[in-house]
Amino acid sequence: MSASNIGPIMRHWIRNGIGTIALANKVNRNALSFHTLDVLHNQLRQFLDDPSVKVVILQSDIENVFSSGHDLKEIQKLQMRHQTNSNDMDEDGVVARDRLRRLFELCSDTMQSISTSDTPVIAKVDGSFTAAGCQLVASCDLAYASDRSIFATPGVNLGLFCSTPAVALGRSVASPKHAMEMLLTGRGIRAADAERIGLINRAVSVGELNAHVQKIAEDVASKSRDAVKCGKPLFYRQMELDLSQAYDVASRAMVNDVLDREDCREGIDAFLSKRTPTWKRT
């Protein structure tokens, strides 16, 4: 196992092929400031590019809080600087509009790094997560939450529609109407409702959450890395196609897997021989 801290805002470690990133900024309730997003994005990329990491868990070290979303104090400072003088540059020579654009682009890049990677990412949620925090969880491949957790996109209450969280939320829940209800009312929903609409996989008790997510992560890590590397990107790709195209892409992928992939030959032979497969190291 390796473990390290990134200042006061984050911890990360690797154990038995499972990489864990724990948000740990108690001062601002894990708000996704530019700095926090930059650190999170870089750490995610390190884990997602590391062949020894078979699955990643995102969690919080702060009791009853996952993430409070974007740092509103940071955003307000940009608002005020823009209102005072829209051409005023910061120490890096960047005007407020461009700095804000970079913030949302970095947030979008961080979310997309999860879905475009071939490594599965699991959100382990205990507590509240709002706006961009909700976006982060909706972007993960799997998500599990304690039954006391609350999910919300409350930007409309501040006069700011949660447009970027809506991208991940709308693609995660079972119906656009579920997403729109959250976005238009700003009301929070409990974990049981989040499970019902498909935002999370399952709601469990606080006492069961750690063991439940650990078991899921271990199950995923035990599978053929080669199969998961091929399968996850293909799943998201075919979801963007019409039915006929999706079946065409998936059928060709299965032919290639059966004939060309060592782990597939090993898995089928092990099943027919009634033995445990030995996956190749990748």
Side-chain angles (χ1 to χ4, degrees):
M1 179 188 78
S2 60
S4 63
N5 297 335
I6 307 175
I9 64 173
M10 205 171 298
R11 297 190 307 125
H12 63 90
W13 61 91
I14 300 171
R15 182 186 295 124
N16 298 327
I18 301 172
T20 301
I21 300 174
L23 302 176
N25 193 338
K26 295 182 180 180
V27 175
N28 66 359
R29 296 168 60 84
N30 287 335
L32 298 177
S33 65
F34 194 98
H35 176 59
T36 297
L37 278 169
D38 189 45
V39 173
L40 175 60
H41 183 261
N42 289 333
Q43 187 53 53
L44 267 172
R45 282 263 48 102
Q46 288 184 37
F47 274 178
L48 298 176
D49 292 339
D50 186 340
S52 72
V53 176
K54 296 183 177 181
V55 60
V56 174
I57 297 174
L58 283 179
Q59 63 184 52
S60 171
D61 271 357
I62 303 175
E63 185 178 2
N64 213 24
V65 174
F66 185 82
S67 173
S68 58
H70 284 297
D71 188 334
L72 293 180
K73 291 181 180 179
E74 180 178 62
I75 289 176
Q76 186 182 52
K77 288 179 181 178
L78 292 172
Q79 273 184 328
M80 295 174 65
R81 185 153 63 86
H82 179 74
Q83 289 173 339
T84 302
N85 182 357
S86 62
N87 294 317
D88 182 39
M89 296 183 180
D90 60 20
E91 61 275 10
D92 297 321
V94 180
V95 297
R97 182 177 296 276
D98 287 342
R99 177 64 68 190
L100 195 59
R101 176 180 53 79
R102 292 183 186 183
L103 171 66
F104 288 114
E105 286 178 349
L106 176 59
C107 184
S108 298
D109 288 346
T110 301
M111 307 302 166
Q112 290 182 83
S113 70
I114 295 172
S115 60
T116 57
S117 166
D118 55 28
T119 301
V121 179
I122 303 172
K124 181 171 71 174
V125 180
D126 178 29
S128 63
F129 70 108
T130 57
C134 187
Q135 179 184 0
L136 181 59
V137 174
S139 298
C140 291
D141 303 298
L142 302 172
Y144 302 89
S146 68
D147 51 15
R148 67 180 179 182
S149 297
I150 301 291
F151 306 78
T153 49
V156 69
N157 298 331
L158 308 176
L160 176 65
F161 197 81
C162 283
S163 298
T164 46
V167 174
L169 181 64
R171 285 163 168 76
S172 179
V173 299
S175 165
K177 289 181 173 60
H178 294 310
M180 287 304 293
E181 183 175 11
M182 293 180 66
L183 293 162
L184 291 173
T185 68
R187 296 174 184 166
I189 63 172
R190 296 192 175 276
D193 289 326
E195 178 183 342
R196 177 178 58 81
I197 68 175
L199 180 55
I200 63 172
N201 293 84
R202 192 160 296 111
V204 300
S205 70
V206 176
E208 296 175 312
L209 182 62
N210 286 339
H212 185 83
V213 173
Q214 184 65 27
K215 181 62 168 62
I216 295 292
E218 289 173 355
D219 282 350
V220 174
S222 72
K223 310 307 179 188
S224 162
R225 180 74 179 99
D226 195 39
V228 173
K229 279 181 62 176
C230 297
K232 177 187 163 179
L234 178 68
F235 174 81
Y236 288 115
R237 180 185 172 198
Q238 62 85 22
M239 289 291 287
E240 298 174 351
L241 304 174
D242 65 37
L243 190 63
S244 177
Q245 290 176 316
Y247 271 122
D248 181 59
V249 167
S251 295
R252 283 188 277 114
M254 291 200 74
V255 169
N256 292 336
D257 289 347
V258 168
L259 298 180
D260 300 333
R261 298 203 176 279
E262 180 182 332
D263 273 1
C264 183
R265 293 192 293 272
E266 165 63 13
I268 291 175
D269 185 69
F271 178 81
L272 295 176
S273 303
K274 295 181 172 54
R275 61 177 176 82
T276 301
T278 301
W279 308 125
K280 70 176 184 180
R281 294 184 177 275
T282 55

